[in-house]
Amino acid sequence: MAPTTLGALASKIRSKNAGPFWVTIDVFLPDDEAFTRAAAAPCLTADRIAGIYGANPSMVKIFRISELRTIKVSFPRSVPQGSTGDRDVHSAQQYIPLAAQPA
Amino acid sequence: MSDEVRNPVRVLVPVGMLGAGFPSDTVKRGIAMGADAIAVDGGSTDSGPYYLGAATPKTARAAVRRDLQAILAPAAEAGIPVIVGSCGTSGTDAGVDWVHEMVCEILHQDRIPGRTVARIYSELAPTALHDKLAAGDVRPLAPAGPLTREVLDGCAHVVGLMGHEPIAAALSAGANIVLAGRATDCALIAAVPLMRGKPFGPAWHAAKIAECGNLCTTGSGLGGVVVHVGDDGFVVEPVDETDRCTPFSVSAHMLYENADPFRLREPAGTLVATNAQYTALDERRVLVRGSEFEFAEDHTIKLEGSAPAGAQTVSIVGIREPEVLLRLDEWLDSLRAYLHNRIPEVLGIEPGDYDIDLRPYGANAVLGSADPDRTPPREVGVVFCATAADQPTATTIAKFANPYLLHHPLPGADSIPSWSFMSSPAEMERGTLFSFVLQHAVRVDDPLDLVRIVVEEVA
C-alpha cells in the first residue's frame, strides 16, 4: 500500500474541547478498509499521542469504534482553555498534527 | 403523524445557543410537530474563562432578545413551557437576571398573558462550599488534583451545574418559563420528558443528541430539531423540511465535545450509549433504541470556577523580510532572551512576576512545536503578549519591549532593521485575564441543595 496519512484517509477529522481541561479529536473514516488501516496507524498509542501533544500518557484515551468507522482520541489539555498560555481556545485545530501522522 | 416510539413527549430545540438565531417559522413548525416543551441553551464554557470570571454574557443582547421574542409568544399560545439554561453564557446570578429582565420586557411589550417565570440561581459563594470541602465532599475530576481552600476562595465566580431536578421542581411549582443558571446542556431537554415519566436512558440520550440543535443533522438547514422521547426509545427529527438526520449524523453527535464516545456523566448518574442502535426511519428521521442510564450512588454537582489571572497588554508587529522568516525561531528566541534579560534589570520586575509570549501568527502560533509543517511563511504577525499582576505593569513591559519589537535584528546582522507595527499606539490593553481553576464535583444530599428557586407570575 502506498504511504498515506490519517488526514488523507479520513472523510472528516475534527478537534474540540471536551470541557475546559480536555481535548478530543474525532477521525471519521469513509469505509471499513480505511477504518482498518487507520485503526492500525502506529501513532495510535498513548505514548505516541502524548509525545505529539505534550500530554500525560497515562491520561490518553484512544477509542476505535468500528460500528461508526471512527477513531476518537482524548487527552488533557497542556494548559486550561483560555488561560494565559492557551493558543487555541476551542481546541479547534488540534487535529492538524494527528492528521499528518502516517497510516 | 405515526408514533415510532410509545407515548412520546416531544421537545423542540430551536437552536444550539440562544442568540445564534433561527428561521422565523421554526417555533411554529416545532409546535405543529407536537412540541410539549421548548428548551434552549443560553451558554457554555466553550468561549473560555472570561465570561464566568467577569460574569458577562458572550452573546449580544439584541440577538438574545430576538430569539426570546420569537419563542415566548408562540409558546404561550400553545400553552407549553420554555426552558432556558446557562443564562447569560456562564449561568451566574447576573446572567439569570440579564435574561429575566429581557423576558419580562417581552412579556409586557407583547402583552403575553398567563406566564409564570422561575429563576433558578446556581451561583455559589466560595465560602458556601467550605463545609463540603472540609467534609471531603468535593472530589477532583481528571486531570485535576484535590481542591484547596485557597484555589476555591480565589475564584471570582463559581457555579454548579444543575441537573433536571431543579428545573422539574420549578415547573411543578407552576412555572411555565424557567430561566436556569448553570445547568448541564442536556438537563434542559431531559427535564420535561423525565417529569412525564419517560425512562432516563432515552431521555438523557435524546437530550445529548439535541443539545446543539442542528449539529446532529447533516446541516442542510437551520431551525433545530424535535426529539420524540418515548417509553422504548426516541426519535430525532429536524424541524426544517430540507434538513436531514441520518444514523451517522446522530450517532456522531454523541462524540461531540465528549471525551468518552459512549458515556456522559450527569448529576444523577451516567448516560451509557454503548448498546444504542440507530435506525433510519426515512430520509430525515432517526430512531434510537437501547440507551441506558446508570444511577450513581451519590448525586454530584460539577463545579466551574474562574479566577483572575493578572492583566495583559499586547502589541502586534508584522514581519515580511524573507531573511527573518527563514530564521524565524532564531529571531524570536534571541528577542525573547534579550527581553527576559533586560526586564528585571531595567524595570525591577522579578522573573516570576511577569510573563511574555511571542506568537508568530502565520508561522506556528496555533500549534507551536507540534506543527507538522515547517515551511517558511511569506509573512507573519508576531503577537507580543505581556502578562503581569496588573494592567499598568503589563503595559510598562509592553512599552519597554516596543523599541525591540520595532528594531530587533537577526543575530549576526550588521545594521539596525525596522519592523511593521500594526497600530499606534502599538500597545492594546486587554484588561483582566481569567483562568478556569475548578475541575471538581461536590456531593449533595438533595439535588436542590445548591440552587435557589424564585417563581413569580408576570402580570
Side-chain angles (χ1 to χ4, degrees):
Chain A
M1 276 188 292
T4 187
T5 60
L6 277 180
L9 278 178
S11 49
K12 180 180 174 180
I13 181 165
R14 68 183 182 191
S15 58
K16 199 80 199 283
N17 295 328
F21 297 91
W22 286 80
V23 184
T24 190
I25 306 175
D26 299 332
V27 187
F28 298 98
L29 285 314
D31 51 47
D32 290 340
E33 188 189 334
F35 174 78
T36 306
R37 197 169 169 193
C43 65
L44 293 178
T45 68
D47 282 336
R48 292 286 298 275
I49 295 294
I52 295 167
Y53 289 102
N56 177 347
S58 70
M59 305 280 247
V60 173
K61 302 179 186 188
I62 300 170
F63 302 92
R64 293 172 176 83
I65 312 160
S66 57
E67 48 294 15
L68 297 181
R69 294 195 295 259
T70 299
I71 296 162
K72 189 173 186 62
V73 177
S74 304
F75 50 89
R77 280 173 141 272
S78 54
V79 292
Q81 177 202 14
S83 61
T84 309
D86 187 23
R87 293 167 172 222
D88 187 358
V89 169
H90 297 78
S91 295
Q93 294 181 86
Q94 298 304 309
Y95 64 89
I96 295 281
L98 188 65
Q101 293 296 314
Chain B
M1 176 173 8
S2 67
D3 292 333
E4 277 74 14
V5 289
R6 278 203 309 276
N7 307 317
V9 173
R10 300 180 175 92
V11 183
L12 165 67
V13 182
V15 65
M17 188 185 68
L18 188 69
F22 45 83
S24 55
D25 63 345
T26 292
V27 176
K28 199 174 147 191
R29 291 180 55 85
I31 288 170
M33 287 162 72
D36 296 292
I38 299 174
V40 60
D41 194 5
S44 165
T45 56
D46 211 28
S47 299
Y50 171 78
Y51 303 98
L52 174 58
T56 299
K58 172 199 162 184
T59 38
R61 186 184 192 279
V64 170
R65 195 182 188 287
R66 180 267 165 206
D67 283 1
L68 287 169
Q69 193 159 22
I71 291 169
L72 291 177
E77 202 174 312
I80 61 174
V82 175
I83 300 155
V84 183
S86 301
C87 287
T89 304
S90 53
T92 58
D93 290 357
V96 175
D97 290 339
W98 185 68
V99 175
H100 180 246
E101 186 250 316
M102 271 183 268
V103 165
C104 291
E105 189 181 286
I106 293 164
L107 293 178
H108 284 123
Q109 273 181 9
D110 295 354
R111 300 174 183 282
I112 299 170
R115 295 273 99 177
T116 298
V117 180
R119 286 165 278 159
I120 310 178
Y121 295 103
S122 64
E123 184 165 347
L124 299 161
T127 48
L129 291 166
H130 281 181
D131 288 350
K132 294 274 188 197
L133 187 61
D137 286 334
V138 180
R139 301 164 188 168
L141 305 172
L147 181 61
T148 64
R149 191 182 270 209
E150 290 68 33
V151 168
L152 177 61
D153 289 351
C155 290
H157 292 275
V158 176
V159 290
L161 279 83
M162 72 181 81
H164 69 286
E165 301 88 350
I167 297 164
L171 291 168
S172 298
N176 46 30
I177 296 174
V178 177
L179 309 177
R182 189 68 174 123
T184 75
D185 292 352
C186 305
L188 330 168
I189 305 167
V192 169
L194 289 172
M195 281 177 81
R196 301 199 187 163
K198 298 304 128 186
F200 276 61
W204 285 106
H205 196 185
K208 167 61 189 167
I209 297 305
E211 49 119 8
C212 287
N214 290 81
L215 274 188
C216 67
T217 73
T218 57
S220 45
L222 292 173
V225 295
V226 169
V227 283
H228 309 245
V229 183
D231 297 327
D232 50 347
F234 69 94
V235 172
V236 52
E237 176 178 14
V239 172
D240 189 298
E241 263 174 7
T242 64
D243 203 2
R244 297 169 58 211
C245 285
T246 66
F248 178 77
S249 73
V250 170
S251 58
H253 193 71
M254 189 63 206
L255 311 183
Y256 190 67
E257 294 180 340
N258 192 12
D260 187 306
F262 298 116
R263 299 175 66 83
L264 183 68
R265 182 65 209 252
E266 291 289 336
T270 302
L271 163 66
V272 183
T274 315
N275 298 318
Q277 291 170 333
Y278 303 83
T279 311
L281 290 173
D282 49 38
E283 288 203 327
R284 303 180 59 248
R285 298 179 303 150
V286 172
L287 168 67
V288 184
R289 292 195 198 276
S291 320
E292 296 161 304
F293 193 86
E294 285 172 5
F295 287 91
E297 240 170 72
D298 293 326
H299 195 91
T300 52
I301 299 293
K302 190 180 175 204
L303 301 174
E304 290 168 352
S306 182
Q312 192 171 77
T313 301
V314 303
S315 312
I316 299 177
V317 65
I319 308 281
R320 183 61 183 77
E321 167 54 50
E323 287 296 314
V324 174
L325 297 173
L326 276 173
R327 295 162 61 195
L328 186 61
D329 284 347
E330 197 183 339
W331 186 81
L332 292 167
D333 289 346
S334 62
L335 174 56
R336 191 181 297 111
Y338 184 83
L339 291 171
H340 275 312
N341 190 31
R342 300 285 286 161
I343 287 167
E345 182 191 326
V346 176
L347 304 178
I349 303 168
E350 293 301 313
D353 291 343
Y354 74 95
D355 179 77
I356 58 169
D357 198 6
L358 289 157
R359 305 181 174 193
Y361 280 92
N364 63 353
V366 174
L367 295 169
S369 59
D371 199 311
D373 187 344
R374 305 294 164 96
T375 314
R378 189 167 60 79
E379 172 181 301
V380 295
V382 176
V383 178
F384 171 78
C385 305
T387 310
D390 55 68
Q391 195 75 65
T393 308
T395 298
T396 294
I397 293 168
K399 285 186 171 183
F400 173 75
N402 182 299
Y404 305 101
L405 292 169
L406 177 60
H407 291 306
H408 186 70
L410 267 177
D414 57 4
S415 62
I416 301 298
S418 299
W419 313 118
S420 309
F421 273 118
M422 192 195 77
S423 59
S424 169
E427 294 76 28
M428 292 168 268
E429 298 191 333
R430 287 197 52 228
T432 303
L433 303 186
F434 292 91
S435 191
F436 285 121
V437 295
L438 299 184
Q439 168 78 340
H440 299 81
V442 56
R443 196 192 69 78
V444 294
D445 297 324
D446 185 296
L448 305 185
D449 273 356
L450 299 181
V451 298
R452 289 150 287 136
I453 304 178
V454 181
V455 183
E456 276 172 357
E457 195 177 339
V458 177

